[in-house]
Structures are given as C-alpha cells and as structure tokens.
C-alpha cells in the first residue's frame, strides 16, 4: 500500500502525531502547506490527513485543507485524524463532512487528545479559545504533554486498518487492436495469436 501522511499544524502537535504514524507505516510525511511535493501524490493508494482542532474555524479550516488536497483524495483510502482538547463528540460531524468532500474509495477517522499551552497562544487564539470555552462551558488550562502512546495507538490502528484494504488498481484495462482484421482484445498484453485471422500477437497495436 503506497501511503503518504500529510498534516496541518499550528503548534506542532499534529506534526508530532503525523511523525508517529509515518514512522509506523514507514512512509513519507509532508506539511500540507508545502507548495511542491517531490513525488506525485496521485500515485499513492492511501492518504492520512492529520490536523489540530481550531474551535469554530475547524470546519472552515478542514475544508481549506481539503481544497489544498483537491483531486488527490478521490478514489483513495482516506484516513483523517483530528486532535484537540476533548472532543470526539464534535469530530464525527467534521469527519462526515470531510468524507463527503473527499469522495474517497474507503474512509476512516480517528480522534485523540492534543496539547494546549496557554502561554504559547497568540492574542487572537486566546480570544478564539475564550469563545470556545464559553460555548462548551470548559475551563481552559494547560493540558499537559501530548501523549506519545495515544499517537502510537492510533498509528497501530491505522496500520491494521490499511493492512486489510486492497490496493486500488487502475480500473482502465488496456485494449489492443489487430492491425490485420481489426479484432479488439482487452488485457495487459496482446494475445499470442489473433483468434479471428490467426496472425501473431506482434501485429496488435495498443489502443488509446
Ligand atoms: C485557537 C485554538 C482553537 C482550538 N479549538 C479546539 C476545538 O474546537 N476543539 C478541540 O477539541 N480542541 C481545540 N483546540 C485545541 C487544539 O486542537 C490542540 O491544542 C491541538 O493539540 C493543536 O494542534 P497543533 O499543535 O498541531 O496546532 C484549540 C486550540 C487553539 C489554539
């Protein structure tokens, strides 16, 4: 399974989680903001998207995130991993809207607790979180370190999930035409002999 992990982070936690997952899957990881990707990500079978929650902007930002990945998720195994303060309650809603936007081949989602340090927040973030606290009734305090073992658990689950999925084959079958009689054959290679005019396979030409 050719897999890539992409992440969107503001304070580095999603990057740490992405690293644990990419290490487990032994695959490349990349910041979603990287303008140039060395490898063509359309060649991957599976994409894991990791992002930190951002209060009321979460849905908006994840849509932006998906737009950046536009066309790269269709017909792929897509796994989204959200990390935030608490909230596996709001995550299924976000995951569902991502699923609809991504048009994936298969879809799975995971949520884990992130990390929050009040002292590292910008002025704007403090305000945003203040509103979030009012909305949820939560008292915001430092959450302590992001737990590596939580990340490890998700990485293990993703590895197991992907091991059960099939590699997506290019559905387009090659077609070959006999240049003598026009007989059309479908398959990876031309037939050994044309079944109608009995010319050798070498007279077949691949059709576009
Ligand atoms: C501005 C802001 C808004 C946040 N909103 C949410 C939220 O709506 N739900 C949630 O569970 N966590 C929320 N969090 C917590 C972050 O998701 C958590 O700190 C996460 O680990 C940040 O990921 P990052 O370090 O990759 O940016 C918020 C944090 C910030 C700074």
């Amino acid at each position: 399974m050719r897999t890539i992990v992409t992440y969107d982070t503001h304070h580095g936690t999603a990057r740490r989680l992405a690293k644990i997952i990419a290490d487990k899957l032994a695959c490349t990881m990349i910041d979603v903001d990287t303008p140039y990707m060395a490898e063509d990500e359309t060649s991957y079978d599976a994409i894991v998207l990791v992002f930190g929650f951002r209060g009321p902007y979460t849905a908006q930002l994840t849509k932006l995130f998906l737009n950046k990945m536009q066309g790269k998720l269709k017909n792929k195994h897509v796994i989204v991993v959200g990390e935030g303060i608490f909230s596996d309650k709001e995550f299924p809603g976000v995951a569902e809207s991502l699923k609809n936007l991504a048009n994936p081949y298969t879809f799975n989602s995971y949520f884990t607790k992130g990390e929050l340090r009040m002292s590292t927040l910008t002025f704007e973030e403090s305000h945003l979180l203040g509103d979030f606290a009012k909305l949820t009734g939560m008292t915001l305090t430092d959450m302590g370190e992001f737990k590596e073992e939580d990340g490890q658990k998700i990485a293990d689950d993703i590895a197991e999930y992907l091991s059960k999925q099939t590699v997506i084959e290019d559905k387009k079958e090659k077609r070959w035409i006999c240049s003598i009689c026009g007989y059309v054959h479908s398959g990876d290679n031309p037939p050994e002999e044309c079944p109608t005019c009995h010319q050798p396979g070498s007279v077949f030409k691949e059709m576009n």
Side-chain angles (χ1 to χ4, degrees), residues 77-148:
H77 298 294
V78 174
I79 291 151
V80 299
V81 184
E83 46 101 9
I85 298 170
F86 69 112
S87 162
D88 32 4
K89 286 193 199 76
E90 64 189 79
F91 188 56
V94 176
E96 193 56 33
S97 68
L98 289 178
K99 181 182 176 179
N100 292 337
L101 283 166
N103 202 1
Y105 190 69
T106 70
F107 183 86
N108 207 346
S109 61
Y110 299 87
F111 181 82
T112 189
K113 274 197 179 161
E115 183 168 306
L116 187 70
R117 289 176 198 281
M118 303 308 270
S119 61
T120 62
L121 301 182
T122 63
F123 182 73
E124 199 203 354
E125 285 178 331
S126 300
H127 273 272
L128 193 62
L129 271 172
D131 292 345
F132 175 73
K134 267 187 222 146
L135 202 75
T136 56
M138 284 177 78
T139 312
L140 292 170
T141 51
D142 281 16
M143 290 169 70
E145 291 258 327
F146 164 70
K147 290 200 191 80
E148 295 270 324

Side-chain angles (χ1 to χ4, degrees), residues 10-202:
H10 291 265
H11 290 277
T13 322
R15 187 186 305 113
R16 286 169 60 197
L17 178 55
K19 171 98 172 60
I20 294 169
I21 297 168
D23 284 351
K24 173 75 193 180
L25 302 176
C27 72
T28 315
M29 73 171 203
I30 196 157
D31 189 319
V32 75
D33 290 325
T34 307
Y36 170 76
M37 297 197 184
E39 287 174 86
D40 176 11
E41 57 303 81
T42 55
S43 68
Y44 292 100
D45 301 300
I47 296 194
V48 184
L49 313 172
V50 186
F51 63 93
F53 269 36
R54 304 286 288 175
Y57 295 135
T58 303
Q60 214 174 318
L61 284 168
T62 44
K63 275 183 191 164
L64 208 69
F65 188 25
L66 271 188
N67 281 340
K68 286 179 195 165
M69 299 298 294
Q70 216 168 27
K72 294 164 191 165
L73 304 176
K74 197 167 183 272
N75 289 332
K76 295 251 168 23
H77 298 294
V78 174
I79 291 151
V80 299
V81 184
E83 46 101 9
I85 298 170
F86 69 112
S87 162
D88 32 4
K89 286 193 199 76
E90 64 189 79
F91 188 56
V94 176
E96 193 56 33
S97 68
L98 289 178
K99 181 182 176 179
N100 292 337
L101 283 166
N103 202 1
Y105 190 69
T106 70
F107 183 86
N108 207 346
S109 61
Y110 299 87
F111 181 82
T112 189
K113 274 197 179 161
E115 183 168 306
L116 187 70
R117 289 176 198 281
M118 303 308 270
S119 61
T120 62
L121 301 182
T122 63
F123 182 73
E124 199 203 354
E125 285 178 331
S126 300
H127 273 272
L128 193 62
L129 271 172
D131 292 345
F132 175 73
K134 267 187 222 146
L135 202 75
T136 56
M138 284 177 78
T139 312
L140 292 170
T141 51
D142 281 16
M143 290 169 70
E145 291 258 327
F146 164 70
K147 290 200 191 80
E148 295 270 324
E149 60 263 35
D150 290 350
Q152 205 63 59
K153 168 88 176 69
I154 287 183
D156 291 350
D157 288 350
I158 292 174
E160 204 205 327
Y161 171 76
L162 284 177
S163 73
K164 291 181 189 146
Q165 307 307 317
T166 50
V167 169
I168 303 158
E169 300 292 342
D170 190 350
K171 301 281 182 301
K172 272 185 273 153
E173 248 190 314
K174 283 185 187 169
R175 294 169 79 217
W176 307 84
I177 185 162
C178 174
S179 58
I180 308 299
C181 71
Y183 172 78
V184 175
H185 167 87
S186 296
D188 284 344
N189 300 299
E192 272 183 14
E193 185 188 286
C194 177
T196 56
C197 70
H198 304 291
Q199 295 297 312
S202 56

